[in-house]
Amino acid sequence: SHDLSLFVMHGRANVHLARGVAEVLGIEPVSCTAEDFPDGEIHVRLLESVRGGDVFIVQPVDPPIAQNLLELMLLSDAVRREGAFRVTAVIPYLGYSRQDRRSCSGEPVGARVIADILNSGFDRLITVDLHKQSLEGFFAIPVEHLSAVSLLAQTLQKNLPDNPVLVAPDLGAAKLVNQYAEILDLPVAYLYKVRKSGKEVSVRSIVGNINGFSPILVDDMISTGGTMMKGVEALLAGHCLPDVTLVASHGLFVGKAMENLEKLPLKKVIVTDSISQENRPLEMAIEVAGLQLLIAEIITRLHE
Ligand code: R5P
């Protein structure tokens, strides 16, 4: 495939990241337009040829999830019809990953529905820190599952408080937190979170020593910030220091996130740019670790 031309293109979900990736690769993103029609339909149009090319479309499936997903599928259809040889979806954040199983009867398996849609439009998928490793099995196409852990751990290293303890805000994050612990050689504590509803969680108990420590809570994503907020409240009640760091691969910051997080004694919030952090009205000290090198590297490897 050495003689295939390499193309990077993007929809509207994360232009900044796509440009960053293209810049590392030393190419310009494919010129195309995407706009909303008055009735809500999305219109995309390719303005240059990708015939015979190896095309990578960068578009996280983040809110507005349905639009971003549909726009991605429209782009895929457009480049196929223009004769692209191979089309790879670069989806640094994949929405619906948390619907990887049915928690009660009458529910769909949302992640499977999304996977089937993507299977139909792409030859391959590149993604970052899926909610669960096993989601790869939902796809019929090959999945390159990248980890942002070492990138985030490096960023964290530069922002470490004096007496740090890594904290898993729920048991689902335990493995992830241990990866950080190994890289940074730090102690770990675990919170036992119970979910009352999609919006409400509470912490039942703390495992490990946090008294007098500055907690660093690590999770795969911050959505409404409810998990982090409840976690920090429980840690403060257990006499941790009011010097809190949050780390997550994906920063969605939806719903009451800003309100929830603003109440906390946050020193730093560290996320990647899997979801665009441009134009976020962030009052808090946010540090964004760019994924462009990681993604450019895998694109180069797959292309060659
Ligand atoms: C849940 O299993 C995830 O790993 C996150 O802990 C959670 O979904 C984050 O959502 P929120 O910020 O709304 O609590």
Side-chain angles (χ1 to χ4, degrees):
S1 70
H2 275 281
D3 40 6
L4 290 183
S5 323
L6 173 63
F7 294 101
V8 169
M9 58 186 287
H10 57 80
R12 289 173 287 180
N14 198 338
V15 177
H16 186 77
L17 177 59
R19 290 218 178 108
V21 169
E23 197 183 316
V24 176
L25 294 168
I27 56 181
E28 282 289 318
V30 173
S31 156
C32 73
T33 58
E35 58 184 359
D36 295 324
F37 277 150
D39 60 359
E41 288 182 2
I42 297 168
H43 176 248
V44 305
R45 176 154 183 241
L46 215 56
L47 300 174
E48 93 189 58
S49 170
V50 294
R51 183 159 301 278
D54 192 10
V55 182
F56 293 79
I57 307 179
V58 179
Q59 173 102 324
V61 175
D62 68 318
I65 290 177
Q67 273 101 317
N68 286 338
L69 177 65
L70 188 57
E71 188 169 282
L72 175 62
M73 297 310 294
L74 292 169
L75 288 168
S76 153
D77 190 69
V79 297
R80 279 182 188 288
R81 287 176 196 280
E82 286 300 315
F85 174 77
R86 188 165 53 201
V87 191
T88 303
V90 182
I91 309 182
Y93 170 73
L94 181 65
Y96 281 87
S97 280
R98 287 179 290 179
Q99 292 194 31
D100 59 329
R101 63 190 187 294
R102 306 201 305 154
S103 59
C104 57
S105 65
E107 287 184 347
V109 179
R112 176 62 202 235
V113 174
I114 303 299
D116 280 340
I117 292 171
L118 294 169
N119 283 335
S120 72
F122 292 95
D123 298 302
R124 265 182 326 210
L125 167 66
I126 297 172
T127 187
V128 181
D129 288 345
L130 288 171
H131 182 59
K132 282 207 185 106
Q133 195 79 37
S134 53
L135 282 158
E136 182 183 341
F138 287 32
F139 290 90
I141 53 174
V143 177
E144 292 292 333
H145 185 194
L146 308 179
S147 167
V149 170
S150 62
L151 179 70
L152 287 167
Q154 271 172 37
T155 312
L156 179 56
Q157 180 95 65
K158 290 180 209 137
N159 293 279
L160 275 187
D162 281 342
N163 205 12
V165 60
L166 291 165
V167 179
D170 60 28
L171 295 181
K175 266 193 184 166
L176 188 66
V177 171
N178 278 305
Q179 291 175 14
Y180 284 82
E182 232 162 74
I183 297 173
L184 298 165
D185 193 25
L186 294 177
V188 179
Y190 306 90
L191 305 183
Y192 181 51
K193 171 179 97 173
V194 278
R195 185 168 279 287
K196 293 175 177 164
S197 71
K199 281 187 190 153
E200 227 194 320
V201 296
S202 73
V203 173
R204 192 161 283 165
S205 62
I206 303 176
V207 182
N209 188 15
I210 53 101
N211 190 339
F213 284 88
S214 297
I216 302 164
L217 291 88
V218 179
D219 207 348
D220 61 333
M221 67 178 90
I222 300 173
S223 184
T224 66
T227 299
M228 290 297 200
M229 179 184 68
K230 292 289 178 185
V232 172
E233 282 171 1
L235 292 164
L236 289 168
H239 307 291
C240 75
L241 296 179
D243 171 16
V244 177
T245 306
L246 308 181
V247 181
S249 304
H250 311 293
L252 283 104
F253 305 116
V254 293
K256 288 195 170 154
M258 291 309 151
E259 210 175 298
N260 285 341
L261 298 178
E262 259 162 30
K263 288 182 220 146
L264 308 176
L266 294 183
K267 182 184 159 224
K268 196 126 245 169
V269 179
I270 302 173
V271 294
T272 75
D273 57 357
S274 62
I275 293 163
S276 176
Q277 301 298 331
E278 305 274 295
N279 315 318
R280 239 196 237 301
L282 279 186
E283 297 290 315
M284 60 192 180
I286 189 160
E287 185 92 23
V288 181
L291 290 170
Q292 69 279 1
L293 284 176
L294 203 65
I295 291 175
E297 207 176 290
I298 188 79
I299 288 179
T300 303
R301 212 148 49 72
L302 290 175
H303 178 64
E304 285 172 359

